[in-house]
Amino acid sequence: MDSTGRFLLSLVTAATFLQVRSTVTVIGLYGETIEVPCNNGAAKPVDLIFTKWKYKMDDGTSGDLLVKQAHKEQAQIQAMDGYKDRVTIAANSSLMIQGGSLVDQRTFTCMVVYGSNLDEHPVDVLVHKKPLPPQIKDKAKELENGKLTSLGVCTAADANPAAVIMWSKNGKLLVADGKTIIITPSVKMDPSTGLSTTTSGLQYTAVKSDVGAKFTCTAKHSLETQVSAPETFIIHYPTEKLSLQVLAKAPIREGDNVTLKCNADGNPPPTSFYFSIKGQKVTVKDSDTFTLTAVTRNSTGDYKCSLVDDDKMEASEKVVVSYLDLSLSPTGKVLKMVRDTLLVKMEQDASGDAKVSWTKDNRKLDETPRFDNVTYADAGFYVCEVSVAGIKRSQSFQLVVEGTPVIKKMTEHHSEDGRHKVLTCEAEGVPRPSVQWSVNGTNEENSYINGKATHKITVVPTGNLTITCIATNKLGNHFMALNVSSLIKDEKIPGKGAQDDSSDQALLIVFIVVGLIIAAAFVGLFYWLYIMKSRRGTWKTGEKEAGTSEESKKLEECNAKV
Ligand SMILES: *[C@@H]1O[C@H](CO)[C@@H](O)[C@H](O)[C@H]1NC(C)=O
Ligand SMILES: *[C@@H]1O[C@H](CO)[C@@H](O)[C@H](O)[C@H]1NC(C)=O
Ligand SMILES: *[C@@H]1O[C@H](CO)[C@@H](O)[C@H](O)[C@H]1NC(C)=O
Ligand SMILES: *[C@@H]1O[C@H](CO)[C@@H](O)[C@H](O)[C@H]1NC(C)=O
Ligand SMILES: *[C@@H]1O[C@H](CO)[C@@H](O)[C@H](O)[C@H]1NC(C)=O
Ligand SMILES: *[C@@H]1O[C@H](CO)[C@@H](O)[C@H](O)[C@H]1NC(C)=O
Ligand SMILES: *[C@@H]1O[C@H](CO)[C@@H](O)[C@H](O)[C@H]1NC(C)=O
């Protein structure tokens, strides 16, 4: 018998050899068709006459259900009660009971009549039903730390046999100890259906670590073990530790808003706190924060918070406000005369070690600038920058150096062609001096670089001249004279030095003589070539004559110079 179908078949009482009949138990499902096999589903005897199903009625007597003659197609229903419409017989002689319910939990007997024999096969039928999914009801709103509280009631309804309920916390079975955990189980049977509802009340003593713990109940049943949806509970416990938090970006600077937050580890958290602000007690209700707006260096100190109902529970935190004051003298635009003294004074007051740096026109200086004797080069934009953790301040001054013009240099040069003179006058001074020569010239050039004004003109002096250069600005003027000699006189200078050049002239004579000898040699060579060529008649006379006349001219020139 391999095809028991959806039906559970088990041998409750082993057949004894002494007894012909063996009692078999079959478990059917509530609400479904129950198959009651005849003789464990054994094959029908060949000489079968008829099969009959009987049942044990509520009063203990036997009632007939149906009879199936071996040679007939249809079985004859004999039942008069509720079974009349619910029973049929399968081809393999199994009794099929539709819409199984708990009333079907009784003994059915299959009677097989064949040849001259009669066998009876009684079967005990049980009807099982799994409970509805278990549910936790009457849940506690919150659990008090250390207090035994009714957490909830778990219900597994309408089962047969009754389900068994167990409680778990985070998947771990809770075992009743009669003190911190009390479990009250109960089973009630519905008299109309006969189904049982199991309930289990859990009384539980919560501890702080039960925050977030998942409580479940499990309904254990032969057909299926089901677990309820998990439940978590709010657990109330008193504050054990207080901490004060400073909510501000570090470092805290003057002008920042600093929020103090008092954190209590109790549940529910306290709704009011005391904040101790510089020795003053402030009560804060419905909040755990207190904000210090625009703190100053005077705000530096210890801050405290405590519980309103237990001021021994206290936390404190230090608040340090960084600050930096910088005062620079002078600032803004500073006007100084050359060679003046400028005193630079920088004062700073900071909450920590301040870093000071100076720049002049964006270039870093190695030290604080000192001006005992101001020069034009000192002019510039000076920035002093001071910083401590998180704070940076800078101040600056623009140093302007002024002075009356001073002529630094006057020069005269020959122009490249030797026919002019270039006069240059250089004068220092701020504001820009106007530089002029006392004569008019051409190719006038002016420049003003780093406080130095340059004026350049080209002149043609006709005689010895005394020329003045004058440099003028709003602060004063400066002039200087320059003796400029005439160009004619200048050309004579090499003539004067002729005796010095006598050795050069001797060298020139030597060159000319050597040149004449070479020329004579060439003349000889040409004459010979002419003789040779004229025999062939190809030389032109004009060319030769021109060459000779040129040579003689050169010769004459040389002789004249010597
Ligand atoms: C008997 O027949 C029924 C219906 O044909 C079938 O569901 C069942 O499995 C059979 N039982 C046995 C024990 O063979
Ligand atoms: C500080 O708080 C005040 C008022 O709450 C606000 O006006 C101000 O902008 C805040 N200052 C800063 C730096 O956040
Ligand atoms: C800090 O306190 C001192 C006196 O204690 C007071 O003179 C000063 O003005 C205060 N400074 C600020 C920035 O509040
Ligand atoms: C300032 O410097 C100039 C040139 O460097 C010098 O001639 C003059 O004596 C100095 N004056 C003082 C007061 O040091
Ligand atoms: C320079 O030229 C201007 C006109 O171009 C004239 O008025 C002035 O007198 C001249 N100066 C001298 C020194 O020749
Ligand atoms: C220029 O001065 C020099 C001396 O410095 C003198 O010998 C010469 O004769 C002068 N020339 C004229 C044209 O005055
Ligand atoms: C220019 O020459 C005059 C005389 O002709 C003389 O007195 C003066 O010192 C000279 N100046 C310069 C700068 O050489």
Side-chain angles (χ1 to χ4, degrees):
M1 53 162 285
D2 44 270
S3 56
T4 48
R6 319 199 295 273
F7 302 93
L8 301 163
L9 198 76
S10 69
L11 217 65
V12 171
T13 315
T16 59
F17 292 103
L18 296 171
Q19 277 183 312
V20 183
R21 39 159 86 174
S22 57
T23 307
V24 163
T25 299
V26 154
I27 297 170
L29 291 182
Y30 187 89
E32 307 202 0
T33 299
I34 302 167
E35 182 203 353
V36 189
C38 179
N39 192 18
N40 285 341
K44 285 183 254 184
V46 279
D47 51 351
L48 177 71
I49 299 164
F50 67 87
T51 309
K52 176 178 180 158
W53 276 98
K54 303 185 292 182
Y55 74 112
K56 197 175 179 185
M57 295 197 290
D58 295 340
D59 61 4
T61 59
S62 177
D64 293 341
L65 284 175
L66 53 81
V67 162
K68 165 99 172 43
Q69 299 292 334
H71 60 276
K72 277 195 178 163
E73 275 293 308
Q74 290 287 320
Q76 183 195 348
I77 306 295
Q78 295 173 310
M80 301 299 288
D81 55 10
Y83 281 117
K84 188 173 64 182
D85 303 318
R86 291 172 59 215
V87 292
T88 52
I89 186 163
N92 55 19
S93 301
S94 288
L95 174 69
M96 310 301 276
I97 309 167
Q98 282 151 34
S101 77
L102 298 197
V103 300
D104 301 326
Q105 295 198 110
R106 60 178 85 234
T107 305
F108 293 86
T109 304
C110 175
M111 199 168 86
V112 181
V113 179
Y114 60 99
S116 55
N117 292 317
L118 183 153
D119 290 346
E120 288 205 337
H121 308 285
V123 179
D124 286 341
V125 169
L126 294 177
V127 178
H128 281 190
K129 181 187 178 293
K130 69 172 183 181
L132 296 174
Q135 276 184 310
I136 299 172
K137 292 173 177 171
D138 303 333
K139 281 174 279 184
K141 272 210 187 88
E142 65 228 359
L143 303 179
E144 201 78 37
N145 182 51
K147 197 174 139 195
L148 188 69
T149 310
S150 175
L151 183 138
V153 175
C154 180
T155 307
D158 299 340
N160 190 58
V164 174
I165 290 177
M166 288 170 306
W167 285 90
S168 302
K169 181 183 91 180
N170 291 331
K172 232 183 111 193
L173 207 64
L174 288 175
V175 180
D177 59 7
K179 264 204 248 156
T180 62
I181 300 173
I182 296 173
I183 294 171
T184 320
S186 89
V187 177
K188 266 195 198 121
M189 192 168 78
D190 183 326
S192 63
T193 61
L195 295 174
S196 302
T197 295
T198 308
T199 58
S200 174
L202 172 64
Q203 282 169 284
Y204 183 74
T205 308
V207 291
K208 228 174 107 180
S209 60
D210 289 331
V211 172
K214 290 187 170 86
F215 289 86
T216 50
C217 70
T218 305
K220 237 184 134 176
H221 192 265
S222 59
L223 292 177
E224 191 185 349
T225 293
Q226 299 179 88
V227 182
S228 73
E231 296 288 349
T232 55
F233 294 88
I234 295 165
I235 294 164
H236 283 185
Y237 46 88
T239 297
E240 288 170 355
K241 236 176 110 186
L242 210 59
S243 67
L244 184 61
Q245 213 181 342
V246 178
L247 302 174
K249 238 194 275 163
I252 298 165
R253 299 169 297 185
E254 284 192 316
D256 283 357
N257 293 339
V258 175
T259 297
L260 304 173
K261 187 170 189 285
C262 200
N263 299 312
D265 66 352
N267 190 46
T271 52
S272 18
F273 294 92
Y274 283 140
F275 280 92
S276 177
I277 310 297
K278 305 246 95 188
Q280 232 179 339
K281 218 170 189 179
V282 181
T283 311
V284 170
K285 278 190 181 135
D286 299 323
S287 170
D288 56 359
T289 61
F290 183 86
T291 300
L292 306 162
T293 42
V295 290
T296 66
R297 63 198 64 183
N298 287 0
S299 309
T300 295
D302 285 324
Y303 290 79
K304 288 179 190 160
C305 78
S306 57
L307 291 185
V308 169
D309 50 8
D310 179 11
D311 60 6
K312 274 186 221 91
M313 193 78 78
E314 190 181 73
S316 81
E317 202 56 52
K318 203 175 173 66
V319 170
V320 176
V321 180
S322 298
Y323 61 91
L324 173 60
D325 290 343
L326 169 64
S327 102
L328 178 66
S329 162
T331 56
K333 193 171 170 178
V334 184
L335 180 64
K336 281 284 158 189
M337 290 297 142
V338 170
R339 283 184 294 282
D340 273 0
T341 297
L342 172 63
L343 196 68
V344 176
K345 218 171 100 189
M346 188 274 291
E347 277 176 359
Q348 48 105 345
D349 181 16
S351 51
D353 272 346
K355 221 183 104 211
V356 181
S357 71
W358 279 93
T359 57
K360 180 195 175 192
D361 297 328
N362 290 327
R363 240 170 299 158
K364 209 167 155 22
L365 297 180
D366 293 331
E367 52 188 12
T368 307
R370 278 174 66 94
F371 308 101
D372 296 333
N373 188 354
V374 172
T375 65
Y376 289 118
D378 290 333
F381 187 63
Y382 291 83
V383 179
C384 172
E385 193 178 86
V386 183
S387 61
V388 282
I391 314 175
K392 212 178 243 185
R393 299 218 191 287
S394 69
Q395 295 212 318
S396 63
F397 63 86
Q398 171 90 46
L399 176 60
V400 177
V401 181
E402 289 191 345
T404 54
V406 175
I407 294 169
K408 289 284 175 188
K409 218 159 115 193
M410 287 193 301
T411 54
E412 54 164 317
H413 290 293
H414 288 278
S415 66
E416 274 166 30
D417 59 10
R419 280 193 269 164
H420 303 98
K421 282 208 162 173
V422 178
L423 305 179
T424 308
C425 181
E426 250 179 51
E428 217 174 47
V430 177
R432 178 179 186 164
S434 82
V435 182
Q436 302 234 277
W437 287 101
S438 55
V439 291
N440 280 338
T442 53
N443 294 341
E444 212 169 305
E445 275 177 46
N446 279 301
S447 68
Y448 185 59
I449 299 160
N450 295 332
K452 218 174 250 183
T454 307
H455 183 64
K456 216 187 244 185
I457 56 167
T458 304
V459 292
V460 185
T462 48
N464 288 347
L465 279 175
T466 298
I467 302 175
T468 40
C469 171
I470 179 156
T472 313
N473 70 6
K474 65 167 184 187
L475 299 168
N477 59 54
H478 187 213
F479 58 87
M480 267 175 116
L482 176 70
N483 287 343
V484 179
S485 55
S486 73
L487 279 167
I488 296 110
K489 176 195 151 197
D490 274 306
E491 279 194 342
K492 278 188 175 170
I493 289 168
K496 262 186 178 174
Q499 276 158 341
D500 299 336
D501 295 330
S502 57
S503 60
D504 288 342
Q505 289 201 348
L507 205 67
L508 190 68
I509 293 160
V510 171
F511 273 117
I512 291 165
V513 171
V514 171
L516 284 172
I517 293 165
I518 292 167
F522 266 97
V523 169
L525 183 67
F526 273 112
Y527 186 66
W528 179 74
L529 279 172
Y530 175 67
I531 300 297
M532 298 303 280
K533 285 265 177 167
S534 63
R535 284 179 192 167
R536 287 178 243 164
T538 45
W539 272 105
K540 281 177 196 165
T541 26
E543 257 187 15
K544 187 213 140 196
E545 274 166 8
T548 339
S549 67
E550 257 187 42
E551 292 300 329
S552 56
K553 256 186 213 165
K554 267 187 189 164
L555 216 85
E556 277 172 44
E557 268 178 40
C558 288
N559 289 338
K561 279 205 175 159
V562 173

